[in-house]
Every structure is written in structure tokens, then in C-alpha cells.
Amino acid sequence: MEQINPMEQINANHLGGANFKARTVKDIIEPAKSISSKVSVKAALDEMQARAIDSSPVIDQRGELLGTLSKNKMNRNVGGLGHDPNTEPVEAHIEKNNAYCFEDQTIAEAEQMMLNAKVGEVPVVTREKLLVGTINIEAIAQSGNRGRI
């Protein structure tokens, strides 16, 4: 019985997905909901609670992505350290090294980056780092081309 080299299979899928590779993140982007870096921890937590989300992109007054806020991390750090969430600014709690992608990257590149970072959703920015939306694994899967990287 002849064994199939897994690399050949990947290459075959890759060639079959040539049309897919040309599509960019812009094609399946979701509108971004973000939190301003100038609000208090309490305001950010209230906003996240209202949207039923656990994390959110954070932007400055220009709309530039600064990082993300995590509800759990803020609750742990602010409550755990005895800080007042009404006056504590969110700026000190922004996670800056999170994954993001550019709107002109291919969907395949974005998917690979998300798999490498082990995340299901990332912010999407312009080349100037202005936040334009988000992209998630579900949207990639629904685009009908999941796995063709």
C-alpha cells in the first residue's frame, strides 16, 4: 500500500485554495466595538457586562489600537489590590502584546496567525494601527475556506 506524504496533501489543498488566498480580512470583517483608554475600570467593566463580553479592544482618542482589556484581569488586579474601580483608569490594565491583524492581510494569513496565537478572535487594524473591526474563527469557517492555508 502506497503511503501519502502529508506535505503533498497540504500542497494540493493549498493549490485548490488559490482563490481563497486572494481574499483579504476586509472581506469578512465585523464592526469593532471598543473601549476608550480614558474611562475608569468601573465604566469599562459596566460596558463589557452590558455587551456580555469578557474582553475588548482598547483605543485612544485617535482610534488607534492600544491593546485589549480582560474583565477577569481587571477584576483580579483592581479588586485584589484594593483599588477603587470608580477612579482607577483602565490604561494601567491594557494588555499590549495581544495578536491583531491588518485589514489587507489574506484570510489565510489571519487564520494561521490566530491558530499560532491560540485565539478565536482578533482586532483588525489599518497599517496605521487604527481599529476597523474584528475577525473571528467562526467567520473564517463560514467563509467556506477553512483549512486551505
Side-chain angles (χ1 to χ4, degrees):
M1 184 185 247
E2 183 184 338
Q3 288 204 326
I4 296 174
N5 179 342
M7 287 307 288
E8 288 175 22
Q9 227 165 353
I10 289 169
N11 288 339
N13 283 344
H14 179 75
L15 294 173
N19 187 28
F20 169 63
K21 283 218 44 101
R23 294 184 64 207
T24 62
V25 169
K26 229 186 292 192
D27 295 330
I28 60 170
I29 196 171
E30 297 283 326
K33 288 198 166 62
S34 57
I35 292 176
S36 165
S37 63
K38 299 299 178 199
V39 301
S40 70
V41 166
K42 179 168 184 354
L45 287 170
D46 289 347
E47 182 70 26
M48 292 165 86
Q49 181 74 34
R51 289 195 224 143
I53 55 173
D54 293 324
S55 66
S56 175
V58 183
I59 58 170
D60 67 10
Q61 62 275 13
R62 282 184 46 242
E64 183 177 333
L65 179 68
L66 301 176
T68 59
L69 284 176
S70 160
K71 188 160 71 172
N72 291 340
K73 186 176 180 202
M74 282 191 296
N75 280 328
R76 220 176 19 253
N77 291 351
V78 177
L81 298 173
H83 295 233
D84 182 355
N86 292 306
T87 57
E88 177 81 7
V90 295
E91 285 180 298
H93 305 282
I94 298 170
E95 298 172 42
K96 298 188 187 296
N97 295 322
N98 295 79
Y100 61 87
C101 66
F102 295 105
E103 64 181 348
D104 59 357
Q105 282 183 290
T106 66
I107 294 170
E109 288 171 330
E111 180 182 30
Q112 189 59 56
M113 184 269 304
M114 291 166 75
L115 293 171
N116 291 347
K118 297 181 172 66
V119 295
E121 181 174 88
V122 292
V124 179
V125 296
T126 65
R127 289 291 169 174
E128 294 77 38
K129 268 197 96 179
L130 298 177
L131 182 67
V132 292
T134 60
I135 185 173
N136 61 49
I137 287 290
E138 290 81 24
I140 291 172
Q142 288 170 5
S143 72
N145 294 293
R146 186 160 162 77
R148 290 193 189 172
I149 51 174

